[in-house]
Amino acid sequence: EAGVVQSPRYKIIEKKQPVAFWCNPISGHNTLYWYRQNLGQGPELLIRYENEEAVDDSQLPKDRFSAERLKGVDSTLKIQPAELGDSAVYLCASSREDRSGQTQYFGPGTRLLVL
Amino acid sequence: AQSVTQLDSQVPVFEEAPVELRCNYSSSVSVYLFWYVQYPNQGLQLLLKYLSGSTLVKGINGFEAEFNKSQTSFHLRKPSVHISDTAEYFCAVSEGNYGGSQGNLIFGKGTKLSVKP
């Protein structure tokens, strides 16, 4: 079974530029999550999708961040414009509703550096 | 609100020694508990999880953890560590009922395990 796929793995941009991250979840997983992991910290949830619906985006900074999950499969997270403080690792995870308690499986992450 | 406290930010240990990584949580409802491991420049990999039943949970790579409801703890242990166990370990909690914001993971800040020869 293929894992969660993310691209790109690394991205360096200048502040005020836009950037986008892509995630392909595990096949059959209807729930998709985007997390941000700052240096020395644990991941923090940005947004959670159930199929194509964003069911929890309370922690997403909506002035500059946006996300979409068309057709309930792949997802894209966008930042426009990027700020220095957005430098972090952006992790995508997926899960499905079953007796495993919705165990989340993580991708390798995209490491963003804003200069 | 839920929270997770990992009491040690760094744990140095010699190879083949036992190790315990501590985790305490706070929640007003029943919880699911998880330990994830993160190797350098990689995503998080599930080590083990507690959903219900036996409070002693065994995971991959020889790790185990014990759920203690009265002490709200979920400490991770391994009787003999290897160099390859050097990584960062994250404890996480989610509410025990599916739906809405329940199921979202709240992570601790992580514990860096450094195994020395």
Side-chain angles (χ1 to χ4, degrees):
Chain A
E1 180 181 71
V4 177
V5 179
Q6 290 187 249
S7 69
R9 290 294 311 277
Y10 304 92
K11 190 73 176 180
I12 301 174
I13 61 172
E14 294 188 346
K15 63 181 181 181
K16 300 185 181 179
Q17 295 299 307
V19 64
F21 315 124
W22 176 81
C23 173
N24 179 246
I26 293 173
S27 178
H29 284 196
N30 62 310
T31 306
L32 184 146
Y33 312 77
W34 282 103
Y35 289 86
R36 178 168 57 190
Q37 185 178 19
N38 292 314
L39 188 64
Q41 302 292 319
E44 295 178 328
L45 181 72
L46 291 173
I47 190 168
R48 167 180 171 163
Y49 281 94
E50 298 291 342
N51 299 304
E52 66 275 10
E53 181 182 0
V55 297
D56 187 351
D57 62 357
S58 57
Q59 301 303 311
L60 189 73
K62 298 181 182 64
D63 57 337
R64 297 183 301 107
F65 285 66
S66 65
E68 61 182 11
R69 191 183 184 198
L70 300 176
K71 300 181 180 179
V73 181
D74 295 1
S75 178
T76 302
L77 178 68
K78 299 179 181 177
I79 309 175
Q80 183 172 9
E83 297 179 352
L84 295 178
D86 295 331
S87 295
V89 177
Y90 291 83
L91 294 165
C92 179
S94 69
S95 69
R96 64 182 179 185
E97 182 181 358
D98 60 19
R99 295 181 181 179
S100 73
Q102 277 200 296
T103 301
Q104 295 183 30
Y105 296 89
F106 286 79
T110 296
R111 189 173 297 271
L112 174 66
L113 179 59
V114 182
L115 302 176
Chain B
Q2 296 171 321
S3 66
V4 176
T5 302
Q6 292 186 242
L7 297 165
D8 306 297
S9 60
Q10 297 188 50
V11 174
V13 64
F14 286 107
E15 192 175 18
E16 297 184 4
V19 70
E20 178 180 82
L21 306 184
R22 297 180 292 170
C23 173
N24 287 88
Y25 69 92
S26 66
S27 177
S28 58
V29 299
S30 63
V31 296
Y32 294 154
L33 294 157
F34 304 81
W35 275 99
Y36 284 86
V37 60
Q38 187 174 36
Y39 298 101
N41 298 319
Q42 295 187 27
L44 280 74
Q45 179 183 1
L46 181 67
L47 271 180
L48 50 77
K49 59 189 177 186
Y50 170 79
L51 306 180
S52 64
S54 174
T55 57
L56 183 62
V57 180
K58 295 188 182 297
I60 62 171
N61 301 340
F63 285 93
E64 64 180 33
E66 186 159 17
F67 170 56
N68 188 318
K69 187 175 182 179
S70 62
Q71 297 188 4
T72 61
S73 68
F74 190 56
H75 300 332
L76 182 70
R77 302 185 182 99
K78 186 170 183 178
S80 176
V81 295
H82 303 290
I83 298 290
S84 59
D85 292 323
T86 295
E88 190 157 19
Y89 293 79
F90 291 93
C91 181
V93 61
S94 69
E95 291 184 0
N97 298 311
Y98 172 67
S101 64
Q102 299 162 345
N104 292 345
L105 286 175
I106 305 297
F107 285 87
K109 292 186 176 182
T111 297
K112 291 184 179 178
L113 176 64
S114 177
V115 182
K116 304 179 185 302

